[in-house]
Amino acid sequence: MNVIWRNYICCLRLGKVPHRCHSGSHPVAPLGSRILTDPAKVFEHNMWDHMQWSKEEEEAARKKVEENSAVQVIPEEQDKYESEASKYWDVFYKIHKNKFFKNRNWLLREFPEILPVDLKTKENAGELSWDHVKTNAANCCSKMIEEKDRFKKSSGLSDGQSKAGSDFSNLDSKKLGKGPLKTELFPGSRATFRILEVGCGAGNSVFPILNTLQNTPESFLYCCDFASGAVELVKSHSSYRATQCSAFVHDVCNDGLPYPFPDGILDVILLVFVLSSIHPGRMQGVVNRLSKLLKPGGMLLFRDYGRYDNTQLRFKKGHCLSENFYVRGDGTRAYFFTKGEVHRLFCKAGLDEKQNLVDRRLQVNRKKQVKMYRVWVQGKFQKPLHPTQNNSKLVFSLLSHD
């Protein structure tokens, strides 16, 4: 079954079957084919796809948001939610552990880019060779040794190399000081396909991906979260394999914190329902930093809450932090994006938009006969093969995009 599924995914990536990788107003088959044509049958299924809102429905949603954002949280409380954000998520995972969210088995259908394809069929999408990785790693280690031992005042490295060097601050300088370059300088250094999931939580994306990658030892998955309790849940899971996965605590808002690998080596970054929990004023910096981790041709895959999602409409007065940014009762936060905001965030970071869509669905509770409109924004953004190729169209793109 695993082989069949992987072959299907490869076909998706090569464009041989319809999939949801196209830019446009809504996704295409195979998902998203359940269309509500007869309102009388609305409670026959739990979810309906491609819901078109009437002007009246959108205006009602806008008024609801206007009402629940009329009273904002006082500045002192807002500062607390920002400075203690990791604590609130730690408490969340201590209470719920891995029982709150379901495994995201839909990821590979929405984002077939997560899986590697055979090297012979891959396009030369800026793929780094092992020699290039070794060169980056050698520069990084050289800088680390210099700082740790304080034998030199300057190594002559460029700013970019110096920054990457901090990624190896946890390595033993005695092991790296002399002799030929070691092949295991960082976790996953021998992999040919590398993925990073940002905000891994309890592993609801990690383990569906790992299960699929178990027969592809050339692949490696990094995953991080700034809640240490969440990372411990991942590491203690029976399906966790340190040979193919590295889970670590990391605050993506802190530019000074090193990653356990050099810049420019990732094929895929997964950013799913994570950016919305970050203060809007810090989002651009986060995206800019993640962009540097991608190799040329690498993909950043995004999915998060959209404007007027039912979650936003359900907030009560007094939970609004700023425009479209709210705090839940447990202290965790959520922002609600528009398609245009998503476009600007990632294009300003130098990435090319490959997909950017609003996914509107109708979710129903058949037992309670309740209807809930769900709105998500999904995007795929690629790092250009050549850093300069994106500059000529960036300004026009930012000005013209809604």
mmCIF file of all heavy atoms in Angstrom, residues 19-59:
data_model
loop_
_atom_site.group_PDB
_atom_site.id
_atom_site.type_symbol
_atom_site.label_atom_id
_atom_site.label_comp_id
_atom_site.label_asym_id
_atom_site.label_seq_id
_atom_site.Cartn_x
_atom_site.Cartn_y
_atom_site.Cartn_z
ATOM 1 N N HIS A 19 -4.620 17.798 -9.338
ATOM 2 C CA HIS A 19 -4.301 17.962 -7.923
ATOM 3 C C HIS A 19 -4.534 19.408 -7.532
ATOM 4 O O HIS A 19 -4.995 20.215 -8.319
ATOM 5 C CB HIS A 19 -2.857 17.533 -7.634
ATOM 6 C CG HIS A 19 -1.834 18.225 -8.470
ATOM 7 N ND1 HIS A 19 -1.265 19.419 -8.105
ATOM 8 C CD2 HIS A 19 -1.289 17.878 -9.663
ATOM 9 C CE1 HIS A 19 -0.394 19.795 -9.017
ATOM 10 N NE2 HIS A 19 -0.397 18.882 -9.971
ATOM 11 N N ARG A 20 -4.178 19.749 -6.286
ATOM 12 C CA ARG A 20 -4.520 21.066 -5.755
ATOM 13 C C ARG A 20 -3.321 22.000 -5.743
ATOM 14 O O ARG A 20 -3.160 22.789 -4.840
ATOM 15 C CB ARG A 20 -5.074 20.900 -4.349
ATOM 16 C CG ARG A 20 -6.273 19.988 -4.285
ATOM 17 C CD ARG A 20 -6.850 19.907 -2.901
ATOM 18 N NE ARG A 20 -7.419 21.183 -2.507
ATOM 19 C CZ ARG A 20 -8.204 21.340 -1.471
ATOM 20 N NH1 ARG A 20 -8.523 20.318 -0.741
ATOM 21 N NH2 ARG A 20 -8.678 22.514 -1.162
ATOM 22 N N CYS A 21 -2.453 21.890 -6.712
ATOM 23 C CA CYS A 21 -1.247 22.710 -6.738
ATOM 24 C C CYS A 21 -1.400 23.968 -7.567
ATOM 25 O O CYS A 21 -0.455 24.707 -7.747
ATOM 26 C CB CYS A 21 -0.070 21.892 -7.280
ATOM 27 S SG CYS A 21 0.374 20.517 -6.220
ATOM 28 N N HIS A 22 -2.559 24.189 -8.146
ATOM 29 C CA HIS A 22 -2.728 25.313 -9.057
ATOM 30 C C HIS A 22 -3.160 26.557 -8.299
ATOM 31 O O HIS A 22 -3.917 26.491 -7.350
ATOM 32 C CB HIS A 22 -3.787 24.988 -10.107
ATOM 33 C CG HIS A 22 -3.518 23.701 -10.811
ATOM 34 N ND1 HIS A 22 -2.533 23.560 -11.751
ATOM 35 C CD2 HIS A 22 -4.104 22.471 -10.691
ATOM 36 C CE1 HIS A 22 -2.526 22.306 -12.196
ATOM 37 N NE2 HIS A 22 -3.466 21.636 -11.569
ATOM 38 N N SER A 23 -2.648 27.716 -8.752
ATOM 39 C CA SER A 23 -3.149 28.972 -8.204
ATOM 40 C C SER A 23 -4.575 29.175 -8.703
ATOM 41 O O SER A 23 -4.941 28.720 -9.770
ATOM 42 C CB SER A 23 -2.268 30.137 -8.654
ATOM 43 O OG SER A 23 -0.985 30.029 -8.086
ATOM 44 N N GLY A 24 -5.379 29.865 -7.921
ATOM 45 C CA GLY A 24 -6.747 30.102 -8.355
ATOM 46 C C GLY A 24 -7.642 30.368 -7.179
ATOM 47 O O GLY A 24 -7.210 30.457 -6.043
ATOM 48 N N SER A 25 -8.924 30.459 -7.449
ATOM 49 C CA SER A 25 -9.871 30.824 -6.399
ATOM 50 C C SER A 25 -10.230 29.662 -5.504
ATOM 51 O O SER A 25 -10.682 29.862 -4.393
ATOM 52 C CB SER A 25 -11.145 31.390 -7.040
ATOM 53 O OG SER A 25 -11.727 30.413 -7.894
ATOM 54 N N HIS A 26 -10.049 28.445 -5.969
ATOM 55 C CA HIS A 26 -10.358 27.293 -5.127
ATOM 56 C C HIS A 26 -9.579 26.090 -5.604
ATOM 57 O O HIS A 26 -9.093 26.036 -6.726
ATOM 58 C CB HIS A 26 -11.861 26.992 -5.118
ATOM 59 C CG HIS A 26 -12.414 26.704 -6.483
ATOM 60 N ND1 HIS A 26 -12.188 25.505 -7.137
ATOM 61 C CD2 HIS A 26 -13.171 27.462 -7.319
ATOM 62 C CE1 HIS A 26 -12.812 25.528 -8.310
ATOM 63 N NE2 HIS A 26 -13.393 26.703 -8.451
ATOM 64 N N PRO A 27 -9.420 25.069 -4.733
ATOM 65 C CA PRO A 27 -8.683 23.878 -5.107
ATOM 66 C C PRO A 27 -9.433 23.084 -6.170
ATOM 67 O O PRO A 27 -10.589 23.331 -6.467
ATOM 68 C CB PRO A 27 -8.607 23.074 -3.803
ATOM 69 C CG PRO A 27 -8.957 24.035 -2.726
ATOM 70 C CD PRO A 27 -9.869 25.038 -3.345
ATOM 71 N N VAL A 28 -8.723 22.100 -6.756
ATOM 72 C CA VAL A 28 -9.338 21.213 -7.727
ATOM 73 C C VAL A 28 -9.252 19.779 -7.233
ATOM 74 O O VAL A 28 -8.757 19.501 -6.171
ATOM 75 C CB VAL A 28 -8.635 21.325 -9.106
ATOM 76 C CG1 VAL A 28 -9.276 22.416 -9.928
ATOM 77 C CG2 VAL A 28 -7.157 21.587 -8.962
ATOM 78 N N ALA A 29 -9.799 18.831 -8.042
ATOM 79 C CA ALA A 29 -9.841 17.428 -7.666
ATOM 80 C C ALA A 29 -8.433 16.923 -7.382
ATOM 81 O O ALA A 29 -7.466 17.487 -7.828
ATOM 82 C CB ALA A 29 -10.492 16.647 -8.797
ATOM 83 N N PRO A 30 -8.241 15.813 -6.624
ATOM 84 C CA PRO A 30 -9.284 14.914 -6.180
ATOM 85 C C PRO A 30 -10.026 15.363 -4.923
ATOM 86 O O PRO A 30 -11.126 14.898 -4.664
ATOM 87 C CB PRO A 30 -8.527 13.612 -5.898
ATOM 88 C CG PRO A 30 -7.172 14.074 -5.491
ATOM 89 C CD PRO A 30 -6.892 15.281 -6.339
ATOM 90 N N LEU A 31 -9.405 16.250 -4.100
ATOM 91 C CA LEU A 31 -10.138 16.747 -2.945
ATOM 92 C C LEU A 31 -11.045 17.888 -3.376
ATOM 93 O O LEU A 31 -10.870 18.484 -4.425
ATOM 94 C CB LEU A 31 -9.159 17.230 -1.877
ATOM 95 C CG LEU A 31 -8.275 16.157 -1.241
ATOM 96 C CD1 LEU A 31 -7.429 16.784 -0.149
ATOM 97 C CD2 LEU A 31 -9.113 15.024 -0.678
ATOM 98 N N GLY A 32 -11.991 18.204 -2.520
ATOM 99 C CA GLY A 32 -12.842 19.349 -2.788
ATOM 100 C C GLY A 32 -13.940 19.099 -3.791
ATOM 101 O O GLY A 32 -14.416 20.017 -4.449
ATOM 102 N N SER A 33 -14.360 17.855 -3.947
ATOM 103 C CA SER A 33 -15.369 17.540 -4.964
ATOM 104 C C SER A 33 -16.781 17.415 -4.397
ATOM 105 O O SER A 33 -17.716 17.145 -5.140
ATOM 106 C CB SER A 33 -14.996 16.221 -5.655
ATOM 107 O OG SER A 33 -14.887 15.182 -4.711
ATOM 108 N N ARG A 34 -16.918 17.618 -3.105
ATOM 109 C CA ARG A 34 -18.250 17.510 -2.497
ATOM 110 C C ARG A 34 -18.913 18.882 -2.508
ATOM 111 O O ARG A 34 -18.665 19.731 -1.649
ATOM 112 C CB ARG A 34 -18.139 16.956 -1.079
ATOM 113 C CG ARG A 34 -19.488 16.701 -0.416
ATOM 114 C CD ARG A 34 -19.321 15.955 0.895
ATOM 115 N NE ARG A 34 -18.927 14.571 0.654
ATOM 116 C CZ ARG A 34 -18.423 13.771 1.583
ATOM 117 N NH1 ARG A 34 -18.231 14.220 2.803
ATOM 118 N NH2 ARG A 34 -18.091 12.532 1.298
ATOM 119 N N ILE A 35 -19.753 19.105 -3.496
ATOM 120 C CA ILE A 35 -20.390 20.405 -3.689
ATOM 121 C C ILE A 35 -21.858 20.327 -3.275
ATOM 122 O O ILE A 35 -22.579 19.400 -3.678
ATOM 123 C CB ILE A 35 -20.306 20.835 -5.168
ATOM 124 C CG1 ILE A 35 -18.867 20.717 -5.678
ATOM 125 C CG2 ILE A 35 -20.842 22.245 -5.344
ATOM 126 C CD1 ILE A 35 -17.882 21.609 -4.962
ATOM 127 N N LEU A 36 -22.280 21.294 -2.498
ATOM 128 C CA LEU A 36 -23.673 21.355 -2.058
ATOM 129 C C LEU A 36 -24.511 22.023 -3.138
ATOM 130 O O LEU A 36 -24.407 23.232 -3.368
ATOM 131 C CB LEU A 36 -23.779 22.128 -0.746
ATOM 132 C CG LEU A 36 -25.186 22.284 -0.160
ATOM 133 C CD1 LEU A 36 -25.787 20.922 0.183
ATOM 134 C CD2 LEU A 36 -25.153 23.183 1.074
ATOM 135 N N THR A 37 -25.335 21.246 -3.820
ATOM 136 C CA THR A 37 -26.210 21.783 -4.875
ATOM 137 C C THR A 37 -27.660 21.892 -4.418
ATOM 138 O O THR A 37 -28.428 22.663 -4.975
ATOM 139 C CB THR A 37 -26.140 20.899 -6.128
ATOM 140 O OG1 THR A 37 -26.486 19.554 -5.774
ATOM 141 C CG2 THR A 37 -24.739 20.922 -6.715
ATOM 142 N N ASP A 38 -28.015 21.113 -3.407
ATOM 143 C CA ASP A 38 -29.379 21.135 -2.880
ATOM 144 C C ASP A 38 -29.327 21.462 -1.392
ATOM 145 O O ASP A 38 -28.944 20.626 -0.569
ATOM 146 C CB ASP A 38 -30.043 19.775 -3.094
ATOM 147 C CG ASP A 38 -31.493 19.757 -2.627
ATOM 148 O OD1 ASP A 38 -31.966 20.784 -2.089
ATOM 149 O OD2 ASP A 38 -32.154 18.709 -2.790
ATOM 150 N N PRO A 39 -29.679 22.687 -0.984
ATOM 151 C CA PRO A 39 -29.625 23.085 0.425
ATOM 152 C C PRO A 39 -30.387 22.153 1.352
ATOM 153 O O PRO A 39 -30.062 22.055 2.540
ATOM 154 C CB PRO A 39 -30.247 24.488 0.419
ATOM 155 C CG PRO A 39 -30.038 24.986 -0.973
ATOM 156 C CD PRO A 39 -30.144 23.790 -1.858
ATOM 157 N N ALA A 40 -31.363 21.462 0.843
ATOM 158 C CA ALA A 40 -32.143 20.543 1.684
ATOM 159 C C ALA A 40 -31.313 19.351 2.140
ATOM 160 O O ALA A 40 -31.667 18.669 3.096
ATOM 161 C CB ALA A 40 -33.378 20.066 0.924
ATOM 162 N N LYS A 41 -30.187 19.090 1.448
ATOM 163 C CA LYS A 41 -29.333 17.940 1.773
ATOM 164 C C LYS A 41 -28.090 18.340 2.561
ATOM 165 O O LYS A 41 -27.140 17.561 2.664
ATOM 166 C CB LYS A 41 -28.916 17.244 0.476
ATOM 167 C CG LYS A 41 -30.078 16.672 -0.311
ATOM 168 C CD LYS A 41 -29.586 15.979 -1.574
ATOM 169 C CE LYS A 41 -30.758 15.371 -2.347
ATOM 170 N NZ LYS A 41 -30.298 14.685 -3.589
ATOM 171 N N VAL A 42 -28.109 19.526 3.146
ATOM 172 C CA VAL A 42 -26.915 20.052 3.800
ATOM 173 C C VAL A 42 -26.419 19.163 4.940
ATOM 174 O O VAL A 42 -25.220 19.076 5.195
ATOM 175 C CB VAL A 42 -27.172 21.493 4.304
ATOM 176 C CG1 VAL A 42 -28.235 21.506 5.395
ATOM 177 C CG2 VAL A 42 -25.880 22.124 4.805
ATOM 178 N N PHE A 43 -27.332 18.465 5.630
ATOM 179 C CA PHE A 43 -26.919 17.651 6.772
ATOM 180 C C PHE A 43 -26.647 16.190 6.408
ATOM 181 O O PHE A 43 -26.557 15.331 7.277
ATOM 182 C CB PHE A 43 -27.967 17.742 7.890
ATOM 183 C CG PHE A 43 -28.036 19.107 8.522
ATOM 184 C CD1 PHE A 43 -29.093 19.958 8.259
ATOM 185 C CD2 PHE A 43 -27.020 19.548 9.357
ATOM 186 C CE1 PHE A 43 -29.163 21.224 8.824
ATOM 187 C CE2 PHE A 43 -27.072 20.812 9.934
ATOM 188 C CZ PHE A 43 -28.143 21.652 9.661
ATOM 189 N N GLU A 44 -26.496 15.922 5.125
ATOM 190 C CA GLU A 44 -26.183 14.558 4.701
ATOM 191 C C GLU A 44 -24.693 14.232 4.842
ATOM 192 O O GLU A 44 -24.306 13.069 4.881
ATOM 193 C CB GLU A 44 -26.626 14.333 3.254
ATOM 194 C CG GLU A 44 -28.134 14.248 3.092
ATOM 195 C CD GLU A 44 -28.535 13.810 1.694
ATOM 196 O OE1 GLU A 44 -27.624 13.510 0.876
ATOM 197 O OE2 GLU A 44 -29.753 13.775 1.418
ATOM 198 N N HIS A 45 -23.857 15.269 4.897
ATOM 199 C CA HIS A 45 -22.418 15.078 5.053
ATOM 200 C C HIS A 45 -21.884 16.057 6.094
ATOM 201 O O HIS A 45 -22.517 17.072 6.390
ATOM 202 C CB HIS A 45 -21.689 15.279 3.722
ATOM 203 C CG HIS A 45 -22.081 14.280 2.670
ATOM 204 N ND1 HIS A 45 -21.676 12.971 2.694
ATOM 205 C CD2 HIS A 45 -22.848 14.429 1.558
ATOM 206 C CE1 HIS A 45 -22.170 12.336 1.640
ATOM 207 N NE2 HIS A 45 -22.894 13.188 0.940
ATOM 208 N N ASN A 46 -20.699 15.754 6.646
ATOM 209 C CA ASN A 46 -20.101 16.616 7.669
ATOM 210 C C ASN A 46 -19.447 17.868 7.101
ATOM 211 O O ASN A 46 -19.251 18.853 7.800
ATOM 212 C CB ASN A 46 -19.047 15.840 8.468
ATOM 213 C CG ASN A 46 -19.663 14.735 9.296
ATOM 214 O OD1 ASN A 46 -20.786 14.868 9.770
ATOM 215 N ND2 ASN A 46 -18.935 13.639 9.472
ATOM 216 N N MET A 47 -19.051 17.819 5.817
ATOM 217 C CA MET A 47 -18.320 18.927 5.228
ATOM 218 C C MET A 47 -18.681 19.097 3.758
ATOM 219 O O MET A 47 -18.826 18.108 3.029
ATOM 220 C CB MET A 47 -16.813 18.678 5.355
ATOM 221 C CG MET A 47 -15.929 19.840 4.930
ATOM 222 S SD MET A 47 -15.725 21.093 6.213
ATOM 223 C CE MET A 47 -14.579 20.264 7.315
ATOM 224 N N TRP A 48 -18.829 20.353 3.333
ATOM 225 C CA TRP A 48 -19.085 20.676 1.932
ATOM 226 C C TRP A 48 -17.997 21.624 1.452
ATOM 227 O O TRP A 48 -17.587 22.543 2.171
ATOM 228 C CB TRP A 48 -20.464 21.329 1.765
ATOM 229 C CG TRP A 48 -21.598 20.439 2.151
ATOM 230 C CD1 TRP A 48 -22.224 20.373 3.370
ATOM 231 C CD2 TRP A 48 -22.235 19.458 1.325
ATOM 232 N NE1 TRP A 48 -23.219 19.424 3.360
ATOM 233 C CE2 TRP A 48 -23.245 18.841 2.109
ATOM 234 C CE3 TRP A 48 -22.071 19.050 0.007
ATOM 235 C CZ2 TRP A 48 -24.073 17.847 1.622
ATOM 236 C CZ3 TRP A 48 -22.894 18.056 -0.494
ATOM 237 C CH2 TRP A 48 -23.887 17.462 0.305
ATOM 238 N N ASP A 49 -17.541 21.432 0.198
ATOM 239 C CA ASP A 49 -16.411 22.187 -0.334
ATOM 240 C C ASP A 49 -16.858 23.364 -1.202
ATOM 241 O O ASP A 49 -17.980 23.397 -1.711
ATOM 242 C CB ASP A 49 -15.520 21.265 -1.174
ATOM 243 C CG ASP A 49 -15.004 20.089 -0.361
ATOM 244 O OD1 ASP A 49 -14.428 20.339 0.717
ATOM 245 O OD2 ASP A 49 -15.189 18.936 -0.782
ATOM 246 N N HIS A 50 -15.911 24.307 -1.395
ATOM 247 C CA HIS A 50 -16.069 25.440 -2.315
ATOM 248 C C HIS A 50 -17.361 26.223 -2.074
ATOM 249 O O HIS A 50 -18.124 26.496 -2.991
ATOM 250 C CB HIS A 50 -16.039 24.976 -3.781
ATOM 251 C CG HIS A 50 -14.918 24.062 -4.096
ATOM 252 N ND1 HIS A 50 -13.647 24.230 -3.592
ATOM 253 C CD2 HIS A 50 -14.876 22.942 -4.867
ATOM 254 C CE1 HIS A 50 -12.866 23.264 -4.050
ATOM 255 N NE2 HIS A 50 -13.584 22.467 -4.806
ATOM 256 N N MET A 51 -17.584 26.557 -0.831
ATOM 257 C CA MET A 51 -18.791 27.311 -0.510
ATOM 258 C C MET A 51 -18.641 28.765 -0.962
ATOM 259 O O MET A 51 -17.662 29.432 -0.646
ATOM 260 C CB MET A 51 -19.065 27.256 0.993
ATOM 261 C CG MET A 51 -19.374 25.854 1.509
ATOM 262 S SD MET A 51 -20.815 25.095 0.709
ATOM 263 C CE MET A 51 -22.109 26.242 1.134
ATOM 264 N N GLN A 52 -19.599 29.241 -1.710
ATOM 265 C CA GLN A 52 -19.605 30.621 -2.158
ATOM 266 C C GLN A 52 -20.485 31.440 -1.224
ATOM 267 O O GLN A 52 -21.650 31.126 -1.022
ATOM 268 C CB GLN A 52 -20.136 30.707 -3.594
ATOM 269 C CG GLN A 52 -19.303 29.920 -4.600
ATOM 270 C CD GLN A 52 -17.876 30.424 -4.684
ATOM 271 O OE1 GLN A 52 -17.648 31.635 -4.705
ATOM 272 N NE2 GLN A 52 -16.922 29.508 -4.712
ATOM 273 N N TRP A 53 -19.906 32.483 -0.648
ATOM 274 C CA TRP A 53 -20.661 33.316 0.270
ATOM 275 C C TRP A 53 -21.446 34.370 -0.517
ATOM 276 O O TRP A 53 -20.944 34.941 -1.487
ATOM 277 C CB TRP A 53 -19.716 34.033 1.225
ATOM 278 C CG TRP A 53 -19.121 33.145 2.288
ATOM 279 C CD1 TRP A 53 -18.965 31.791 2.228
ATOM 280 C CD2 TRP A 53 -18.600 33.566 3.532
ATOM 281 N NE1 TRP A 53 -18.382 31.337 3.360
ATOM 282 C CE2 TRP A 53 -18.128 32.404 4.199
ATOM 283 C CE3 TRP A 53 -18.463 34.785 4.168
ATOM 284 C CZ2 TRP A 53 -17.547 32.445 5.459
ATOM 285 C CZ3 TRP A 53 -17.876 34.834 5.418
ATOM 286 C CH2 TRP A 53 -17.435 33.675 6.065
ATOM 287 N N SER A 54 -22.647 34.614 -0.048
ATOM 288 C CA SER A 54 -23.418 35.717 -0.616
ATOM 289 C C SER A 54 -22.898 37.026 -0.016
ATOM 290 O O SER A 54 -22.185 37.028 0.998
ATOM 291 C CB SER A 54 -24.897 35.551 -0.280
ATOM 292 O OG SER A 54 -25.110 35.674 1.120
ATOM 293 N N LYS A 55 -23.251 38.143 -0.622
ATOM 294 C CA LYS A 55 -22.843 39.441 -0.092
ATOM 295 C C LYS A 55 -23.406 39.653 1.311
ATOM 296 O O LYS A 55 -22.764 40.261 2.172
ATOM 297 C CB LYS A 55 -23.310 40.560 -1.035
ATOM 298 C CG LYS A 55 -22.573 40.596 -2.363
ATOM 299 C CD LYS A 55 -23.043 41.772 -3.203
ATOM 300 C CE LYS A 55 -22.279 41.830 -4.529
ATOM 301 N NZ LYS A 55 -22.727 42.969 -5.376
ATOM 302 N N GLU A 56 -24.610 39.129 1.512
ATOM 303 C CA GLU A 56 -25.241 39.276 2.826
ATOM 304 C C GLU A 56 -24.485 38.491 3.899
ATOM 305 O O GLU A 56 -24.297 38.975 5.024
ATOM 306 C CB GLU A 56 -26.695 38.801 2.766
ATOM 307 C CG GLU A 56 -27.631 39.668 1.935
ATOM 308 C CD GLU A 56 -27.436 39.471 0.433
ATOM 309 O OE1 GLU A 56 -26.832 38.428 0.047
ATOM 310 O OE2 GLU A 56 -27.884 40.331 -0.341
ATOM 311 N N GLU A 57 -24.039 37.284 3.555
ATOM 312 C CA GLU A 57 -23.298 36.451 4.513
ATOM 313 C C GLU A 57 -21.947 37.077 4.854
ATOM 314 O O GLU A 57 -21.522 37.075 6.013
ATOM 315 C CB GLU A 57 -23.114 35.049 3.941
ATOM 316 C CG GLU A 57 -24.387 34.216 3.918
ATOM 317 C CD GLU A 57 -24.222 32.907 3.167
ATOM 318 O OE1 GLU A 57 -23.457 32.886 2.175
ATOM 319 O OE2 GLU A 57 -24.858 31.913 3.566
ATOM 320 N N GLU A 58 -21.282 37.609 3.845
ATOM 321 C CA GLU A 58 -19.978 38.233 4.099
ATOM 322 C C GLU A 58 -20.133 39.497 4.930
ATOM 323 O O GLU A 58 -19.319 39.784 5.806
ATOM 324 C CB GLU A 58 -19.291 38.546 2.775
ATOM 325 C CG GLU A 58 -17.866 38.997 2.943
ATOM 326 C CD GLU A 58 -16.982 38.655 1.765
ATOM 327 O OE1 GLU A 58 -17.459 38.007 0.824
ATOM 328 O OE2 GLU A 58 -15.810 39.055 1.797
ATOM 329 N N GLU A 59 -21.187 40.257 4.673
ATOM 330 C CA GLU A 59 -21.430 41.472 5.453
ATOM 331 C C GLU A 59 -21.766 41.131 6.898
ATOM 332 O O GLU A 59 -21.322 41.824 7.832
ATOM 333 C CB GLU A 59 -22.576 42.269 4.818
ATOM 334 C CG GLU A 59 -22.953 43.554 5.559
ATOM 335 C CD GLU A 59 -21.816 44.558 5.628
ATOM 336 O OE1 GLU A 59 -20.867 44.465 4.823
ATOM 337 O OE2 GLU A 59 -21.882 45.444 6.510
#
